[in-house]
Amino acid sequence: MLLFDLDGTLIDSNQAWVEVDNTFLFRRGLTPTEEYNRVVGQSIFPVAAQFTQAYYGLKETPQQIMDEWMELIGEAYGKRIPLKAGAKPFLERCAARGASMALVTACVPELCHTVLERHGLDRFFPQILFAQELGVEKRDPRFFQAVLTHLGVSPRDCTLFEDSPAACRTAQAAGIRVVGVYDPFYEGHREEMEMVCDRYIESFETLL
């Protein structure tokens, strides 16, 4: 079975989230730190909001923070965020060959469904597993164990396409074959990705 991440792997959305973080903090006279970017960039939505509130000592509740983030990002998923190069042709090729595919994502479900439908990718993924709904971050070993259990598959029968170094490392530790997908957000982790992943590609065009 082929497992696909969404943000930074199939869609070019990481920079849009950087802009959301910058705008959100700028409104409060704050700036993101390296630690903040690292933690929030790898967290599910509720955890990221809780961390943001505590890290900056904000008066807003985590729910209010998430509401503002959704207000800032919604238009991008609905109209602007593009696919990564070669992503749709690769999915079409996999589907034509009869491959079973599932989406495993930390994306907010509402945003995920919006962007999949807009780009016509929803037909490829009869099964979507959301880290937010599982309540476990993708860097947590329990996430991929939950994914394998839910799908009823063995790790040796799965290949994951993913841009996050932490998620790649966790998946590989679970026995899943990992294809790392380059994304500028993780430019500084290229060497790590090449070491952790079974294969590392610049884009899906490489596989076409």
Side-chain angles (χ1 to χ4, degrees):
M1 173 168 281
L2 303 180
L3 309 176
F4 291 87
D5 170 53
L6 180 64
D7 292 288
T9 300
L10 294 177
I11 63 172
D12 194 6
S13 56
N14 283 338
Q15 184 56 40
W17 280 107
V18 171
E19 294 170 3
V20 165
D21 290 335
N22 289 343
T23 299
F24 177 86
L25 295 175
F26 178 77
R27 289 176 173 178
R28 293 157 176 81
L30 303 169
T31 56
T33 65
E34 182 177 343
E35 179 186 19
Y36 175 81
N37 288 334
R38 175 175 54 80
V39 174
V40 171
Q42 300 183 51
S43 298
I44 56 177
F45 219 49
V47 173
Q50 292 165 9
F51 175 80
T52 300
Q53 181 198 42
Y55 191 77
Y56 288 104
L58 302 179
K59 66 180 184 302
E60 293 89 344
T61 66
Q63 185 60 54
Q64 289 173 325
I65 292 171
M66 289 189 288
D67 290 343
E68 187 169 340
W69 285 344
M70 287 293 286
E71 178 186 346
L72 290 168
I73 198 68
E75 189 269 345
Y77 274 76
K79 297 181 180 179
R80 293 189 289 107
I81 289 175
L83 293 174
K84 297 290 282 285
K88 190 170 185 177
F90 181 69
L91 292 175
E92 289 172 339
R93 175 176 291 186
C94 292
R97 292 175 174 174
S100 297
M101 295 184 282
L103 198 68
V104 292
T105 177
C107 187
V108 177
E110 176 185 341
L111 298 176
C112 174
H113 290 302
T114 294
V115 78
L116 288 181
E117 183 177 351
R118 181 166 69 86
H119 286 298
L121 302 187
D122 46 341
R123 61 191 173 94
F124 297 116
F125 300 113
Q127 299 188 85
I128 303 177
L129 297 174
F130 294 101
Q132 183 171 320
E133 293 182 348
L134 293 174
V136 183
E137 298 182 347
K138 293 176 73 174
R139 55 185 168 175
D140 188 319
R142 293 175 298 171
F143 175 78
F144 286 105
Q145 291 302 326
V147 166
L148 294 170
T149 299
H150 183 87
L151 297 176
V153 294
S154 167
R156 64 177 178 271
D157 296 326
C158 295
T159 298
L160 171 71
F161 296 84
E162 170 71 60
D163 69 308
S164 164
C168 288
R169 187 179 295 279
T170 305
Q172 189 188 62
I176 298 170
R177 183 173 185 269
V178 178
V179 178
V181 181
Y182 169 77
D183 188 83
F185 184 78
Y186 294 109
E187 175 66 42
H189 297 267
R190 181 187 291 264
E191 183 176 343
E192 177 186 358
M193 289 287 281
E194 291 175 346
M195 291 177 57
V196 169
C197 300
D198 296 280
R199 184 174 182 182
Y200 184 60
I201 60 173
E202 293 291 329
S203 78
F204 285 99
E205 292 178 327
T206 304
L207 304 179
L208 296 171

